[in-house]
Amino acid sequence: MRIGHGFDAHRLVEGRALILGGIRIPFERGALGHSDGDALAHAIADALLGAAALEDLGSRFPDTDARWKDADSMVLLAECAKAVRGAGFAIVNLDATIVVERPKLAPFIRRMRENIAACLAADASCVGVKAKSSEGMGYTGDGTGVAVHAVALLREAIT
Ligand code: MG
């Protein structure tokens, strides 16, 4: 068994879409980023890559590379999952916590889980996603940004 941890944060600004786990969330601001700014996909990708001790997301898809401008992060996540499987691992489960004051994400959690599971060729029962506020404190509390923490468990695949 191998455990991995991932973290990501993006600034919330006007004129951008808010996309989390590949789901477009109706909100007056969205995540600033070189890609589509999907902090949930990014944190999960780094948790998976970290568990396999592979090169991280930012090294694979650098924000200095025009190829990844406005990239669909779910496509990047699928690539990372492929790399993890290629390194001889299978995904056991993963769990993520989105920290943001607004919008309330409860209505979107199930779709996020299903979308991530489909992207990883895993069952939705292996994908946990939760949303928390930070009670008005700090950049996630004052609406400046969104942060995501994620962990992933891998097992060596039987070949
Ligand atoms: Mg990111």
Side-chain angles (χ1 to χ4, degrees), residues 2 10-12 16 33 39 71 85 98 103 113 132 138 152 155:
R2 305 272 296 239
H10 282 262
R11 197 176 284 276
L12 290 174
R16 290 275 299 184
R85 280 194 295 270
I98 305 164
R113 290 178 52 220
K132 301 288 287 184
R155 63 173 168 76

Side-chain angles (χ1 to χ4, degrees), residues 83-148:
V84 163
R85 280 194 295 270
F89 297 103
I91 299 165
V92 177
N93 78 307
L94 57 89
D95 187 29
T97 303
I98 305 164
V99 188
V100 73
E101 202 70 18
R102 283 190 316 122
K104 291 297 170 203
L105 298 175
F108 306 100
I109 295 290
R110 186 181 56 81
R111 279 172 61 209
M112 286 182 205
R113 290 178 52 220
E114 288 170 355
N115 209 36
I116 292 160
C119 176
L120 301 175
D123 194 272
S125 67
C126 304
V127 178
V129 176
K130 319 174 282 305
K132 301 288 287 184
S133 88
S134 50
E135 305 272 336
M137 296 179 288
Y139 68 89
T140 53
D142 67 12
T144 307
V146 55
V148 180

